[in-house]
Every structure is written in C-alpha cells, then in structure tokens.
Amino acid sequence: MKDNVYKVNNELIFRETEFGYVAGGRLQENKNNNNLSCYLLKDDNSVEDTLKLFFELESLSIKDDPYYYEDDQAMNIFKETIQFNNERYVVELPFRKNWKELSDNFSVAKQRFQNLWRRLQRDKILHSQYLETIQDYLNQGIIEKVKNTEANIHKPVYYLPHQAIKREGRVTTSTRIVFDAASYQTNELSLNECLWPGPN
C-alpha cells in the first residue's frame, strides 16, 4: 500500500493504493442501513479533478447519451420539415418527447392572463401598445385566436402565457411581448421540456 493520503475533511480521506484511490471515512449514521460501499478511482487526472467530475456528474446521474446530440436532433427536424408558405418559412416544433406527453395548461395560462389584464388596466399606454402588438401578430398569422376552449381536440393543446416587457429609452417600439414556453401545470411538462433546444 502506498503512503499518499488526501484528507478532504474530518470524515473523508482518499488513500492511494496499487489499484487507484480508495475513499474512506465515516458516513452519516443510519442504524437501519447495513450497506457497505467501496469506490475505485483510476485516472491520470489529479484527485481534485476526479472528485469534481464525480460529484458534478455521477452523483447527479447526469450522463451524456451518445445517441442523442441536441443540436443534431433539432437541426434534423428543421431540415426535414422546413417549408416556404405565404411569404414565410415554417418548420415543425422539434419535439424531443412524444407530443402526447404535453398537457393542457389552460388554467395556468388563464391565471397569467388575468394578472396581465389587471396590469394593463392600470397602464393605459401599455394597454394600447399591447393591443397594437397583439393585433399585428394576428394579422401576420403569428398567433391565432382560440375560438372554442371546450372543443374536443384529439391532440394536446398548449397555451403560451405572455407578458409585456417595457424597454425604457427605446426610440422604436418600447413594449414587446414575451411568450413563456417554460410555463407548466403542476407535475406536468412545459413546452420547453418537450422540445430539443437546438443550436444558438
């Protein structure tokens, strides 16, 4: 056995052996747990680098999936679905999960809209700018009005909550609308969680 011992704190040490480093020390007391664990670290990197990698990746169960590279997946969907319709390019959303996993978030979107509406009622200038922008989005076909929220649709529906962002000191449009695809119903997925992020 070698004499290289690295003391991490009062309860954890690493001792170099012929097989690599062995962790030793006291675990939190749990009288109902009789499990013993042994870990072997073999690497040409320093102990500090190895420990950092261990705690950042392994303990969080984060591992690269060699079969899925996010940028490639999003770009493949982009290339396969891009179309030029009515003076604009249209692509399908790059779903990473089955789109059936997306849940209806109407109640969340409705609550967010009610909060927005109260804000717009207090600020008439913002209200006017917001309506103008929404009407422009409708005219361009960027958004569409939901005519019947009770319709029997056989696919998931996801409502994008939106809010006004005021940009003070702007010569051009001082208000823009931001849509929130990270919004989610409790214990359900958001739209963002169902999509490949793709390249920047």
Side-chain angles (χ1 to χ4, degrees):
M1 184 170 279
K2 299 184 178 185
D3 290 332
N4 293 336
V5 176
Y6 297 94
K7 185 175 180 180
V8 176
N9 58 36
N10 289 335
E11 297 181 354
L12 179 62
I13 64 163
F14 286 90
R15 179 179 300 274
E16 186 177 11
T17 70
E18 297 298 325
F19 303 106
Y21 286 94
V22 175
R26 190 173 19 171
L27 297 174
Q28 291 180 351
E29 288 189 40
N30 184 347
K31 295 178 181 174
N32 297 328
N33 186 353
N34 294 324
N35 294 338
L36 297 175
S37 299
C38 179
Y39 300 96
L40 176 67
L41 302 175
K42 172 66 176 102
D43 201 338
D44 294 332
N45 295 329
S46 70
V47 173
E48 291 82 12
D49 291 342
T50 303
L51 280 174
K52 182 177 178 186
L53 183 64
F54 175 79
F55 286 111
E56 285 179 354
L57 300 177
E58 294 297 325
S59 66
L60 298 174
S61 299
I62 298 172
K63 297 179 182 176
D64 285 340
D65 186 341
Y67 301 105
Y68 291 102
Y69 295 98
E70 293 180 351
D71 291 354
D72 294 343
Q73 295 297 320
M75 287 307 295
N76 286 341
I77 293 169
F78 176 83
K79 289 174 187 173
E80 291 170 6
T81 65
I82 188 167
Q83 298 174 10
F84 188 74
N85 291 338
N86 299 326
E87 305 293 319
R88 73 177 62 193
Y89 287 98
V90 178
V91 295
E92 289 182 12
L93 292 173
F95 278 94
R96 79 163 67 211
K97 298 180 181 290
N98 187 325
W99 55 265
K100 293 178 183 176
E101 293 182 60
L102 191 60
S103 66
D104 185 332
N105 67 328
F106 179 78
S107 62
V108 171
K110 182 179 177 183
Q111 179 62 48
R112 295 269 301 269
F113 179 74
Q114 289 170 340
N115 295 339
L116 170 65
W117 186 250
R118 284 191 290 274
R119 179 180 173 203
L120 294 176
Q121 294 303 301
R122 292 189 305 266
D123 187 338
K124 297 301 180 192
I125 294 172
L126 178 62
H127 182 247
S128 174
Q129 292 172 340
Y130 208 86
L131 287 179
E132 184 180 314
T133 304
I134 289 289
Q135 189 59 52
D136 182 48
Y137 288 175
L138 280 168
N139 294 343
Q140 292 184 53
I142 295 171
I143 61 174
E144 60 185 283
K145 189 172 185 176
V146 177
K147 294 178 175 56
N148 181 2
T149 60
E150 304 298 321
N152 190 9
I153 300 173
H154 300 291
K155 59 183 176 181
V157 175
Y158 185 86
Y159 299 91
L160 279 171
H162 47 89
Q163 63 181 336
I165 302 296
K166 290 177 86 170
R167 300 178 293 179
E168 302 296 337
R170 296 292 295 239
V171 176
T172 58
T173 308
S174 62
T175 301
R176 68 183 177 99
I177 296 176
V178 175
F179 293 90
D180 182 7
S183 169
Y184 63 94
Q185 196 88 312
T186 304
N187 297 323
E188 299 291 345
L189 296 172
S190 71
L191 179 59
N192 279 352
E193 291 173 310
C194 293
L195 301 176
W196 292 108
N200 287 331

